[in-house]
Amino acid sequence: MARRATAIKNYRAKTPYLLVLDAGDALFGQPVSDISQGKALTEAMDLMGYNAMAIGERDTGHWDELLARSREAKFAFLSANLVYANTGKPVFTPYVVQNVGGRKVAIIGLSPADDSLKAFAPSDVTVKDPVETAREYVAKARAENVDAVVILSHAGNVMDRKIATEVQGITAIVGGHSYDLLQETLRLGDTVIGQAGYGGEWLGEITVDFDADGKIVSARAGVIPLTEEYADDPELAALAARYNAALPPTPTIQP
Amino acid sequence: MAKKRKKKQVPKQPQRTAQAAKKAEPKPKPKAGERSPIRRWIAPVALALVVVAALITAQALIRRNAARPTGPWTLTILHTTDVEGYLDPCG
């Protein structure tokens, strides 16, 4: 994570048109994250300047903590298709339109529609079809005269491909859930799709070039392995050390 | 002696009927070239409101376009997924 922070800082110095996103299942799963009730990861992502994250099924397994972190974090917790079963209203913010270097970029969150979420989420929430939800919210976002529309999806790569094929007007899909490490550009129609594996070992990178009329000229996607080439960011290294120090000692087994 | 003539009594119109009759009377038509009071006030006020609304809209559009850069640009998205609570691995 400390290397990731350095890589992100390097990009920030290069371009004003930068988005930093997480496609879900970020906050929980390890002792350090679970004991801190998701605060360790939320604070780290805030320090790195994340713009938004999607809600994955594992995030919903810590429901109360997730809701609390969504209120505290500076970045947006997004899901357009995770809704209350009785009202059909989204639990989290469905999408945001953010100012990226003066350009308006819409980011729409999607959660998985397979059975995985049912195993974790409370029984009073349900998940709507990602394709139909994407169609609905892309139209809403485009009506706001945005320069680009990004789907932040924890629906898996098969679903991401389906969405890219069936829904017009999507600039990029940042994917997750299926652990795909997409090292080369995957482009369907005008939509470019990326996914950066798992565990935070890689940083996904998508670049989309627009002409003066706002039309997409080219798009690329890949991943950056966070090797020793990237020094640890001192602020993030200190944060990790602070949270690790709060962990109870690992019990030793006597022979 | 002449018989005193009995004055024929005209039945009094109830007050309400009188008022209704007054209301039913046609209002005097404005003379040629003269505007009714409603037209005299409403038309200029409506026009003024339309002008103000147009000015506000134009200003908002100018501001929005002034804030938005023009020309070719490149959007860069850095992203992670399924980090699952890891703080420490190399990433």
Side-chain angles (χ1 to χ4, degrees):
Chain A
M1 190 163 271
R3 290 180 184 177
R4 193 194 316 163
T6 301
I8 291 170
K9 274 186 182 170
N10 291 349
Y11 272 87
R12 260 189 225 292
K14 281 193 265 182
T15 175
Y17 306 123
L18 180 70
L19 274 179
V20 184
L21 303 173
D22 187 278
D25 278 0
L27 305 187
F28 306 99
Q30 305 305 316
V32 69
S33 55
D34 294 359
I35 287 172
S36 73
Q37 301 184 327
K39 284 182 186 173
L41 272 288
T42 312
E43 273 182 41
M45 290 164 78
D46 267 340
L47 276 176
M48 287 185 273
Y50 271 70
N51 296 79
M53 71 166 247
I55 306 295
E57 76 284 357
R58 288 173 195 271
D59 297 314
T60 67
H62 300 257
W63 191 248
D64 293 338
E65 295 94 326
L66 177 65
L67 293 176
R69 299 295 84 78
S70 75
R71 289 189 287 267
E72 294 164 1
K74 291 179 198 155
F75 58 93
F77 285 42
L78 302 178
S79 179
N81 63 334
L82 183 63
V83 300
Y84 287 110
N86 56 348
T87 62
K89 287 186 177 170
V91 180
F92 296 92
T93 306
Y95 78 107
V96 286
V97 175
Q98 296 198 341
N99 181 328
V100 183
R103 307 282 182 173
K104 283 171 74 177
V105 180
I107 309 159
I108 302 165
L110 290 177
S111 296
D114 55 29
D115 288 340
S116 65
L117 201 133
K118 288 174 193 161
F120 291 94
S123 57
D124 63 340
V125 299
T126 189
V127 185
K128 284 164 64 179
D129 177 57
V131 177
E132 285 314 308
T133 308
R135 201 188 311 280
E136 178 188 344
Y137 281 96
V138 168
K140 283 184 182 177
R142 285 287 174 195
E144 293 191 39
N145 193 27
V146 294
D147 296 294
V149 173
V150 177
I151 299 273
L152 188 53
S153 161
H154 199 78
N157 188 250
V158 172
M159 183 60 78
D160 293 345
R161 288 166 186 253
K162 194 167 188 273
I163 292 167
T165 309
E166 295 185 20
V167 182
Q168 301 300 305
I170 301 169
T171 310
I173 299 179
V174 173
H177 188 49
S178 48
Y179 283 23
D180 285 294
L181 186 65
L182 299 181
Q183 300 186 64
E184 290 179 8
T185 302
L186 169 60
R187 202 167 171 204
L188 297 171
D190 269 346
T191 305
V192 61
I193 301 174
Q195 192 172 154
Y198 54 88
E201 292 193 28
W202 300 271
L203 186 60
E205 182 194 22
I206 294 173
T207 50
V208 185
D209 301 315
F210 295 87
D211 67 13
D213 296 325
K215 287 186 181 154
I216 296 169
V217 178
S218 60
R220 300 164 297 286
V223 291
I224 304 160
L226 294 167
T227 57
E228 291 167 2
E229 181 191 335
Y230 298 95
D232 281 353
D233 178 80
E235 209 174 1
L236 260 292
L239 180 141
R242 176 160 56 85
Y243 275 103
N244 282 327
L247 285 174
T250 311
T252 49
I253 299 165
Q254 297 295 327
Chain B
M1 240 173 102
K3 251 187 177 180
K4 206 175 185 180
R5 265 193 164 174
K6 217 177 184 181
K7 204 177 177 184
K8 208 176 181 182
Q9 272 193 344
V10 180
K12 260 191 178 175
Q13 267 190 335
Q15 212 175 349
R16 274 188 197 167
T17 322
Q19 276 174 351
K22 200 176 178 184
K23 267 189 187 173
E25 273 177 21
K27 284 180 183 169
K29 281 185 182 172
K31 289 171 192 168
E34 193 180 294
R35 284 175 166 183
S36 71
I38 292 173
R39 286 185 71 187
R40 206 183 304 147
W41 288 104
I42 288 183
V45 169
L47 186 67
L49 285 174
V50 168
V51 170
V52 168
L55 283 172
I56 290 169
T57 310
Q59 202 180 16
L61 282 173
I62 289 165
R63 262 192 210 158
R64 192 174 72 177
N65 289 334
R68 282 175 93 164
T70 52
W73 65 294
T74 300
L75 173 65
T76 302
I77 304 168
L78 298 178
H79 59 99
T80 47
T81 188
D82 296 276
V83 172
E84 294 176 5
Y86 277 110
L87 272 181
D88 281 331
C90 66

